[in-house]
Amino acid sequence: MRSDSITLTGLRVNAHHGVYDFERENGQDFVIDVTVWLDLRRAAASDDVTQTIHYGELAVEVTDAARHNPVDLIETVAERIAAAVLAHDAADTVQVTVHKPQAPISVPFTDVAVQILRTRA
């Protein structure tokens, strides 16, 4: 894994994922953290955004991947996000955390999250 990375923390998106009908109907907020490892030397040397991954565009891609096509599991959402990030040629490895702070849990809690680490095949 490369030592250079870009991190997006706390991306918020309202989506309709969940096992229960009320989650699909009402939707809820999800919070996403993404770290992508890549080689930033060429971008730094050239000062050229095309030599890196534009983090503003990446934020939109990540939230779009999380917003659409409701699924039961946040694990599935995390995989979808990882695939979107790894579609960038510059990306070597990605870590995705999907938080579900309004998860339907019957005991007090602060957060529920899944985290995955994926490397380009």
Side-chain angles (χ1 to χ4, degrees):
M1 180 167 42
R2 302 232 185 233
S3 59
D4 304 341
S5 65
I6 296 171
T7 300
L8 300 172
T9 304
L11 298 173
R12 295 186 182 278
V13 62
N14 188 275
H16 296 263
H17 307 297
V19 174
Y20 300 108
D21 290 340
F22 67 87
E23 293 178 289
R24 294 290 184 102
E25 291 169 14
N26 301 329
Q28 60 191 294
D29 290 332
F30 296 85
V31 180
I32 303 157
D33 305 325
V34 173
T35 299
V36 56
W37 284 269
L38 66 167
D39 189 340
L40 295 174
R41 288 176 290 195
R42 285 185 297 172
S46 67
D47 199 31
D48 183 356
V49 71
T50 66
Q51 299 299 311
T52 185
I53 299 174
H54 187 297
Y55 54 77
E57 293 173 3
L58 185 63
V60 171
E61 293 167 2
V62 166
T63 56
D64 282 350
R67 181 177 290 115
H68 302 295
N69 302 321
V71 294
D72 288 347
L73 303 178
I74 57 175
E75 290 87 336
T76 306
V77 176
E79 287 288 348
R80 184 185 298 164
I81 293 167
V85 174
L86 290 173
H88 289 269
D89 290 338
D92 292 326
T93 302
V94 62
Q95 179 174 294
V96 177
T97 306
V98 177
H99 303 265
K100 189 174 180 179
Q102 299 162 332
I105 297 175
S106 63
V107 298
F109 73 101
T110 301
D111 191 21
V112 171
V114 299
Q115 185 174 79
I116 64 172
L117 182 69
R118 299 293 179 262
T119 302
R120 181 178 303 285

